[in-house]
């Protein structure tokens, strides 16, 4: 990719740990950040907007784009459910001078780190416990019981990736996590990346 001198921030964690919440909070703190809208084959949730939360694609369309080399990374995050980051999305946000922020699974975040190295800060959001994760997923009311169980089954595996990332951010008391996220990203912005 051509425009890789820009800084990027990837926020990763098991589902329900608080990625979306922390990403939104960071975007309010730092208006120069812009969210990388991913493509997915999962069903749209009622409140979600195509092109804002995700680009919702059929599996056929997704696989065509994979074959055309349009993704910087993609994963089958859950069985038969695909998610990926489009190269065009990153380039278009960077052309607007934005720091791109990603909400991404642990494998995808690892792949972004490999691709962009020190230009991409990877933040791992750690829930206080698996039990807290379950409660948060239940309280969010966006998945049925079976889907929640699938996400929890995967969480223990995802938690084992913690030491692959630049920073761990514990999300227990939300206001403390928000403040720590702001500090971590502020420090990264001040750090001069060698070109
Ligand atoms: P993710 O994007 O990682 O799946 P979300 O940001 O959607 O997670 O958070 C999952 C649910 O937990 C949401 O309903 C959110 O409002 C809630 N939540 C996030 N952080 C906390 C926290 N520190 N304490 C309690 N609930 C939280
Ligand atoms: P959700 O269905 O809850 O929106 O997201 C499920 C998981 O897919 C989350 O861990 C989320 O971070 C991840 N995800 C979202 N977009 C991408 C992406 O572009 N690539 C990868 N690898 N994972 C993604």
């Amino acid at each position: 990719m051509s425009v890789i001198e820009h800084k990027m921030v990837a926020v990763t964690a098991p589902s329900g740990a608080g990625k979306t919440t922390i990403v939104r909070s960071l975007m309010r703190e730092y208006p120069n950040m812009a969210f990388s809208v991913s493509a997915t084959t999962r069903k749209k949730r009622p409140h979600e907007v195509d092109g804002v939360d995700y680009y919702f694609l059929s599996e056929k369309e997704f696989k065509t784009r994979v074959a055309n080399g349009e993704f910087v990374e993609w994963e089958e995050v859950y069985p038969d459910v695909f998610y990926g980051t489009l190269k065009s999305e990153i380039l278009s946000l960077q052309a607007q001078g934005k720091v791109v922020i990603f909400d991404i699974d642990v494998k995808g975040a690892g792949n972004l780190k490999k691709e962009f190295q020190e230009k991409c800060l990877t933040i791992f959001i750690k829930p206080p416990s698996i039990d807290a994760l379950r409660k948060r997923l239940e309280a969010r009311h966006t998945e049925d019981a079976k889907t929640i169980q699938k996400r929890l089954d995967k969480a223990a595996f995802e938690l084992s990736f913690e030491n692959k990332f630049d920073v761990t951010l514990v999300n227990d008391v939300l206001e403390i996590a928000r403040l720590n996220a702001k500090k971590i990203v502020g420090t990264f912005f001040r750090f001069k990346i060698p070109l």
Side-chain angles (χ1 to χ4, degrees), residues 76-160:
E76 187 175 356
V77 177
Y78 304 105
D80 296 323
V81 192
F82 298 85
Y83 294 80
T85 306
L86 291 160
K87 290 177 187 170
S88 58
E89 180 73 7
I90 300 180
L91 291 174
S92 120
L93 295 175
Q94 291 186 331
Q96 296 164 46
K98 297 291 188 183
V99 172
V100 182
I101 183 162
F102 305 89
D103 172 333
I104 192 161
D105 87 312
V106 291
K107 283 195 188 161
N111 287 332
L112 288 182
K113 188 73 190 175
K114 258 187 230 141
E115 173 82 18
F116 299 117
Q117 301 186 27
E118 70 273 25
K119 279 145 193 123
C120 184
L121 176 75
T122 51
I123 304 176
F124 182 81
I125 313 271
K126 190 174 179 175
S129 64
I130 295 271
D131 196 45
L133 208 55
R134 176 189 300 279
K135 288 194 178 117
R136 286 179 194 177
L137 285 171
E138 285 169 355
R140 195 171 65 181
H141 297 296
T142 50
E143 271 82 24
D144 58 29
K146 203 170 141 204
T147 310
I148 289 180
Q149 193 51 52
K150 270 194 211 160
R151 289 181 177 223
L152 289 170
D153 290 345
K154 200 170 176 194
F157 166 73
E158 291 170 320
L159 286 170
S160 73

Side-chain angles (χ1 to χ4, degrees), residues 150-183:
K150 270 194 211 160
R151 289 181 177 223
L152 289 170
D153 290 345
K154 200 170 176 194
F157 166 73
E158 291 170 320
L159 286 170
S160 73
F161 279 67
E162 176 183 349
N163 65 3
K164 305 257 182 264
F165 303 108
D166 297 317
V167 202
T168 293
L169 173 69
V170 176
N171 181 18
D172 186 356
V173 177
L174 183 55
E175 280 319 305
I176 295 178
R178 285 192 208 275
L179 276 176
N180 285 336
K182 181 182 169 189
K183 273 193 221 155

Side-chain angles (χ1 to χ4, degrees), residues 13-31:
S15 182
K19 293 183 293 295
T20 311
T21 308
I22 295 295
V23 165
R24 289 196 180 141
S25 168
L26 282 170
M27 288 176 66
R28 277 196 299 275
E29 292 292 343
Y30 298 109

